[in-house]
mmCIF file of all heavy atoms in Angstrom:
data_model
loop_
_atom_site.group_PDB
_atom_site.id
_atom_site.type_symbol
_atom_site.label_atom_id
_atom_site.label_comp_id
_atom_site.label_asym_id
_atom_site.label_seq_id
_atom_site.Cartn_x
_atom_site.Cartn_y
_atom_site.Cartn_z
ATOM 1 N N GLN A 48 -168.272 -136.608 -51.719
ATOM 2 C CA GLN A 48 -168.793 -137.743 -52.477
ATOM 3 C C GLN A 48 -167.679 -138.241 -53.388
ATOM 4 O O GLN A 48 -166.808 -137.469 -53.771
ATOM 5 C CB GLN A 48 -169.988 -137.314 -53.320
ATOM 6 C CG GLN A 48 -171.162 -136.813 -52.513
ATOM 7 C CD GLN A 48 -172.251 -136.302 -53.446
ATOM 8 O OE1 GLN A 48 -172.016 -135.405 -54.225
ATOM 9 N NE2 GLN A 48 -173.429 -136.904 -53.343
ATOM 10 N N HIS A 49 -167.739 -139.511 -53.766
ATOM 11 C CA HIS A 49 -166.785 -140.022 -54.735
ATOM 12 C C HIS A 49 -167.474 -141.059 -55.611
ATOM 13 O O HIS A 49 -168.337 -141.798 -55.180
ATOM 14 C CB HIS A 49 -165.533 -140.580 -54.047
ATOM 15 C CG HIS A 49 -165.806 -141.707 -53.121
ATOM 16 N ND1 HIS A 49 -166.220 -141.522 -51.816
ATOM 17 C CD2 HIS A 49 -165.746 -143.052 -53.304
ATOM 18 C CE1 HIS A 49 -166.383 -142.689 -51.239
ATOM 19 N NE2 HIS A 49 -166.104 -143.643 -52.121
ATOM 20 N N PHE A 50 -167.051 -141.060 -56.894
ATOM 21 C CA PHE A 50 -167.634 -141.940 -57.891
ATOM 22 C C PHE A 50 -166.538 -142.523 -58.768
ATOM 23 O O PHE A 50 -165.616 -141.813 -59.175
ATOM 24 C CB PHE A 50 -168.606 -141.175 -58.798
ATOM 25 C CG PHE A 50 -169.748 -140.540 -58.059
ATOM 26 C CD1 PHE A 50 -169.729 -139.183 -57.732
ATOM 27 C CD2 PHE A 50 -170.851 -141.302 -57.662
ATOM 28 C CE1 PHE A 50 -170.777 -138.598 -57.044
ATOM 29 C CE2 PHE A 50 -171.899 -140.717 -56.975
ATOM 30 C CZ PHE A 50 -171.872 -139.351 -56.658
ATOM 31 N N VAL A 72 -161.116 -142.304 -59.876
ATOM 32 C CA VAL A 72 -162.224 -141.966 -58.979
ATOM 33 C C VAL A 72 -162.364 -140.440 -58.945
ATOM 34 O O VAL A 72 -161.386 -139.715 -58.799
ATOM 35 C CB VAL A 72 -161.992 -142.510 -57.562
ATOM 36 C CG1 VAL A 72 -163.110 -142.088 -56.632
ATOM 37 C CG2 VAL A 72 -161.872 -144.024 -57.574
ATOM 38 N N GLN A 73 -163.611 -139.981 -59.104
ATOM 39 C CA GLN A 73 -163.903 -138.550 -59.020
ATOM 40 C C GLN A 73 -164.339 -138.237 -57.598
ATOM 41 O O GLN A 73 -165.267 -138.837 -57.075
ATOM 42 C CB GLN A 73 -165.038 -138.192 -60.002
ATOM 43 C CG GLN A 73 -165.452 -136.748 -59.948
ATOM 44 C CD GLN A 73 -166.748 -136.496 -60.712
ATOM 45 O OE1 GLN A 73 -167.736 -137.187 -60.515
ATOM 46 N NE2 GLN A 73 -166.733 -135.501 -61.579
ATOM 47 N N HIS A 74 -163.651 -137.299 -56.948
ATOM 48 C CA HIS A 74 -164.009 -136.844 -55.596
ATOM 49 C C HIS A 74 -164.607 -135.453 -55.725
ATOM 50 O O HIS A 74 -164.012 -134.558 -56.354
ATOM 51 C CB HIS A 74 -162.769 -136.798 -54.705
ATOM 52 C CG HIS A 74 -162.175 -138.139 -54.459
ATOM 53 N ND1 HIS A 74 -162.435 -138.877 -53.322
ATOM 54 C CD2 HIS A 74 -161.340 -138.905 -55.216
ATOM 55 C CE1 HIS A 74 -161.779 -140.021 -53.387
ATOM 56 N NE2 HIS A 74 -161.111 -140.068 -54.521
ATOM 57 N N ILE A 75 -165.775 -135.245 -55.116
ATOM 58 C CA ILE A 75 -166.470 -133.977 -55.175
ATOM 59 C C ILE A 75 -166.640 -133.447 -53.752
ATOM 60 O O ILE A 75 -167.245 -134.110 -52.900
ATOM 61 C CB ILE A 75 -167.858 -134.129 -55.828
ATOM 62 C CG1 ILE A 75 -167.728 -134.747 -57.217
ATOM 63 C CG2 ILE A 75 -168.568 -132.774 -55.900
ATOM 64 C CD1 ILE A 75 -169.039 -135.192 -57.816
ATOM 65 N N LEU A 76 -166.083 -132.279 -53.476
ATOM 66 C CA LEU A 76 -166.217 -131.627 -52.179
ATOM 67 C C LEU A 76 -167.125 -130.413 -52.342
ATOM 68 O O LEU A 76 -166.772 -129.469 -53.044
ATOM 69 C CB LEU A 76 -164.850 -131.207 -51.622
ATOM 70 C CG LEU A 76 -163.796 -132.290 -51.479
ATOM 71 C CD1 LEU A 76 -162.502 -131.707 -50.967
ATOM 72 C CD2 LEU A 76 -164.278 -133.405 -50.585
ATOM 73 N N LYS A 164 -165.370 -128.508 -55.362
ATOM 74 C CA LYS A 164 -163.972 -128.824 -55.666
ATOM 75 C C LYS A 164 -163.964 -130.247 -56.199
ATOM 76 O O LYS A 164 -164.376 -131.166 -55.499
ATOM 77 C CB LYS A 164 -163.078 -128.717 -54.420
ATOM 78 C CG LYS A 164 -163.233 -127.434 -53.632
ATOM 79 C CD LYS A 164 -163.024 -126.212 -54.459
ATOM 80 C CE LYS A 164 -163.293 -124.963 -53.641
ATOM 81 N NZ LYS A 164 -164.233 -124.056 -54.236
ATOM 82 N N VAL A 165 -163.514 -130.439 -57.439
ATOM 83 C CA VAL A 165 -163.569 -131.734 -58.095
ATOM 84 C C VAL A 165 -162.145 -132.210 -58.337
ATOM 85 O O VAL A 165 -161.322 -131.478 -58.901
ATOM 86 C CB VAL A 165 -164.354 -131.656 -59.408
ATOM 87 C CG1 VAL A 165 -164.405 -133.014 -60.096
ATOM 88 C CG2 VAL A 165 -165.772 -131.144 -59.157
ATOM 89 N N ILE A 166 -161.865 -133.430 -57.883
ATOM 90 C CA ILE A 166 -160.512 -133.992 -57.950
ATOM 91 C C ILE A 166 -160.623 -135.417 -58.499
ATOM 92 O O ILE A 166 -161.428 -136.212 -58.033
ATOM 93 C CB ILE A 166 -159.866 -134.029 -56.548
ATOM 94 C CG1 ILE A 166 -159.911 -132.638 -55.910
ATOM 95 C CG2 ILE A 166 -158.457 -134.555 -56.609
ATOM 96 C CD1 ILE A 166 -159.778 -132.636 -54.419
ATOM 97 N N TYR A 167 -159.775 -135.725 -59.481
ATOM 98 C CA TYR A 167 -159.719 -137.067 -60.067
ATOM 99 C C TYR A 167 -158.445 -137.747 -59.607
ATOM 100 O O TYR A 167 -157.362 -137.198 -59.790
ATOM 101 C CB TYR A 167 -159.748 -136.988 -61.598
ATOM 102 C CG TYR A 167 -161.055 -136.404 -62.129
ATOM 103 C CD1 TYR A 167 -161.193 -135.029 -62.271
ATOM 104 C CD2 TYR A 167 -162.113 -137.239 -62.443
ATOM 105 C CE1 TYR A 167 -162.377 -134.490 -62.735
ATOM 106 C CE2 TYR A 167 -163.299 -136.698 -62.910
ATOM 107 C CZ TYR A 167 -163.428 -135.320 -63.056
ATOM 108 O OH TYR A 167 -164.612 -134.789 -63.515
ATOM 109 N N LEU A 168 -158.597 -138.938 -59.025
ATOM 110 C CA LEU A 168 -157.447 -139.683 -58.473
ATOM 111 C C LEU A 168 -157.452 -141.110 -58.961
ATOM 112 O O LEU A 168 -158.502 -141.639 -59.345
ATOM 113 C CB LEU A 168 -157.536 -139.725 -56.947
ATOM 114 C CG LEU A 168 -157.545 -138.405 -56.184
ATOM 115 C CD1 LEU A 168 -157.666 -138.680 -54.708
ATOM 116 C CD2 LEU A 168 -156.299 -137.615 -56.482
ATOM 117 N N PRO A 169 -156.279 -141.758 -58.932
ATOM 118 C CA PRO A 169 -156.269 -143.208 -59.214
ATOM 119 C C PRO A 169 -157.046 -143.952 -58.140
ATOM 120 O O PRO A 169 -157.177 -143.471 -57.008
ATOM 121 C CB PRO A 169 -154.778 -143.571 -59.153
ATOM 122 C CG PRO A 169 -154.013 -142.290 -59.148
ATOM 123 C CD PRO A 169 -154.947 -141.219 -58.679
ATOM 124 N N SER A 172 -156.845 -144.373 -53.755
ATOM 125 C CA SER A 172 -156.286 -143.114 -53.235
ATOM 126 C C SER A 172 -157.387 -142.397 -52.462
ATOM 127 O O SER A 172 -158.559 -142.628 -52.693
ATOM 128 C CB SER A 172 -155.786 -142.237 -54.380
ATOM 129 O OG SER A 172 -154.827 -142.907 -55.146
ATOM 130 N N GLN A 173 -156.971 -141.553 -51.551
ATOM 131 C CA GLN A 173 -157.940 -140.808 -50.747
ATOM 132 C C GLN A 173 -157.677 -139.306 -50.806
ATOM 133 O O GLN A 173 -156.569 -138.870 -51.090
ATOM 134 C CB GLN A 173 -157.893 -141.241 -49.278
ATOM 135 C CG GLN A 173 -158.325 -142.642 -48.982
ATOM 136 C CD GLN A 173 -157.166 -143.582 -48.881
ATOM 137 O OE1 GLN A 173 -156.051 -143.185 -48.574
ATOM 138 N NE2 GLN A 173 -157.401 -144.847 -49.186
ATOM 139 N N VAL A 174 -158.735 -138.584 -50.492
ATOM 140 C CA VAL A 174 -158.648 -137.145 -50.286
ATOM 141 C C VAL A 174 -158.968 -136.907 -48.825
ATOM 142 O O VAL A 174 -159.954 -137.439 -48.314
ATOM 143 C CB VAL A 174 -159.686 -136.396 -51.170
ATOM 144 C CG1 VAL A 174 -159.780 -134.942 -50.790
ATOM 145 C CG2 VAL A 174 -159.367 -136.551 -52.632
#
Side-chain angles (χ1 to χ4, degrees):
Q48 298 175 301
H49 60 277
F50 301 100
V72 177
Q73 178 191 50
H74 295 263
I75 304 167
L76 303 179
K164 310 305 176 233
V165 180
I166 306 159
Y167 296 87
L168 300 179
S172 302
Q173 294 96 26
V174 170

